[in-house]
Amino acid sequence: MIKFIVGEERQAIKEFAKEIVNAISEENYKVVGEKVDDLGSWNIEFLSEFIEHYKEDNGLEEIDDYEGCGSWQEHFYPYNDKSGIGYEYAFTSDAEENDLTLSMDFLFEGEYLKVIFESGITVL
């Protein structure tokens, strides 16, 4: 869970997403399992295989880290019932878009956000 300050939820989510994106960029997939609260139907072995096969199939050397994040890459989707926020981050390789998207849900639980990775990584 992520502790946050009311009104600064998006900043807390961005900081968390940066850690996840950078872990994926560094092929350190176990960090994802250590950081999120609920992997849903994912496990670390499947996540690793999924991304590595995607890179191989598409001739990609690597996934870029979060440092070069453009505003077009991330989107926030507040729930209508105010119980959480959906988040998506479009990965890049060599500063070019690829079809991988990180999708996570952040559910409000008091002063914490519970991180759900159910959608995980999608290919658009």
Side-chain angles (χ1 to χ4, degrees):
M1 289 198 172
I2 306 168
K3 189 169 175 97
F4 74 97
I5 298 171
V6 174
E8 296 183 18
E9 299 87 356
R10 288 184 183 209
Q11 187 58 35
I13 290 170
K14 285 176 78 140
E15 289 299 317
F16 183 84
K18 180 179 180 177
E19 292 179 44
I20 298 300
V21 169
N22 288 346
I24 290 170
S25 173
E26 296 164 3
E27 299 177 8
N28 191 1
Y29 303 110
K30 69 178 182 163
V31 168
V32 176
E34 295 168 354
K35 295 272 183 191
V36 302
D37 297 306
D38 184 351
L39 282 171
S41 59
W42 290 82
N43 64 52
I44 300 311
E45 182 179 343
F46 180 69
L47 175 63
S48 172
E49 289 174 4
F50 183 87
I51 293 173
E52 293 306 314
H53 285 301
Y54 178 84
K55 290 186 331 189
E56 183 179 315
D57 292 347
N58 290 280
L60 302 175
E61 295 279 325
E62 61 187 12
I63 301 292
D64 294 339
D65 65 19
Y66 187 91
E67 298 308 317
C69 176
S71 60
W72 61 271
Q73 284 180 266
E74 58 185 358
H75 300 281
F76 297 87
Y77 303 97
Y79 293 3
N80 289 336
D81 66 2
K82 301 191 185 331
S83 65
I85 299 173
Y87 174 85
E88 289 184 347
Y89 176 89
F91 286 102
T92 59
S93 295
D94 295 324
E96 298 290 324
E97 285 183 70
N98 62 43
D99 292 332
L100 288 180
T101 301
L102 169 67
S103 299
M104 296 183 288
D105 292 297
F106 296 83
L107 305 179
F108 294 115
E109 293 197 2
E111 57 189 28
Y112 293 92
L113 292 168
K114 182 177 182 178
V115 184
I116 311 295
F117 195 78
E118 180 62 41
S119 296
I121 306 291
T122 57
V123 177
L124 300 178

